[in-house]
Amino acid sequence: MDALVGQVVLAEIARHDWDSMTCGCMRSAAHVPQHLLAALSAPPPARVGEGWADSHVYIQSNLMAPAAATAGVVAAALADPLVPLVWRRSLIEVLCMLCYGEQDDIAEACQRAVRGCVWSLYEEIGSGRAVDAASYAFELLVCFPEERGRLAYFQERYRAHLATDLHAENFDVHSIDSP
């Protein structure tokens, strides 16, 4: 049975012509959103993106045609209160895979899709729910140079919510290059 998701996720799925995109398994990408919705009704898989993103939307660091559309759907899922909190880490990690992929043009399109969900990422950092989810959110926000000042503030204020390698003395957000 498909997970219950809000209208914003369903609308974002409907916005894209999945049939016209070829995914990593060489089929139409129409199954990608279907598999994501089905996956959301179970616990996240051990391997991030298994069954819906991995080998379909990305293969290792190589991005496939449906990557940007998938980034939009995942960003919508982060804003959806019906999506189980246990999925946040996995969804944010998939967004990192998409935004830091090897194909610059596709990765930039993914970043554009994610740019609208920055407050969901900051909320993850501030929530204190899970260090790994907050750390992935932090790493994703590094993609956006315009966020560096705010990110540095959150880095200090919510230090205890981040992995130690992301603490200010180990990671200076102002001295890094954009992806």
Side-chain angles (χ1 to χ4, degrees), residues 37-170:
L37 292 176
L40 290 173
S41 38
R47 194 175 81 234
V48 172
E50 184 177 12
W52 66 274
D54 189 22
S55 297
H56 300 281
V57 178
Y58 57 83
I59 299 174
Q60 296 177 356
S61 61
N62 293 304
L63 302 176
M64 304 295 120
T70 302
V73 172
V74 173
L78 286 176
D80 188 338
L82 297 176
V83 173
L85 286 175
V86 69
W87 270 90
R88 289 185 71 82
R89 176 194 164 273
S90 183
L91 293 172
I92 295 169
E93 191 172 354
V94 165
L95 287 178
C96 283
M97 297 288 290
L98 298 175
C99 288
Y100 287 108
E102 289 185 22
Q103 292 72 20
D104 290 341
D105 56 335
I106 300 173
E108 287 171 12
C110 292
Q111 290 170 19
R112 284 191 300 275
V114 171
R115 187 168 264 112
C117 81
V118 296
W119 284 111
S120 293
L121 300 172
Y122 282 116
E123 189 280 330
E124 191 62 45
I125 294 169
S127 75
R129 285 186 296 263
V131 169
D132 54 349
S135 297
Y136 281 118
F138 182 94
E139 290 176 8
L140 190 51
L141 285 162
V142 168
C143 284
F144 309 113
E146 69 276 12
E147 293 294 326
R148 300 279 167 82
R150 182 178 290 122
L151 188 56
Y153 177 80
F154 271 68
Q155 180 184 39
E156 189 56 38
R157 180 175 179 114
Y158 298 107
R159 173 186 177 89
H161 299 179
L162 297 170
T164 56
D165 62 323
L166 297 178
H167 292 176
E169 67 273 11
N170 301 321

Side-chain angles (χ1 to χ4, degrees), residues 10-53:
L10 298 175
E12 184 61 20
I13 290 170
R15 233 174 50 80
H16 302 283
D17 183 4
W18 299 92
D19 288 324
S20 70
M21 295 180 260
T22 303
C23 88
C25 71
M26 303 309 292
R27 296 183 294 161
S28 153
H31 67 282
V32 172
Q34 295 168 355
H35 290 174
L36 170 59
L37 292 176
L40 290 173
S41 38
R47 194 175 81 234
V48 172
E50 184 177 12
W52 66 274

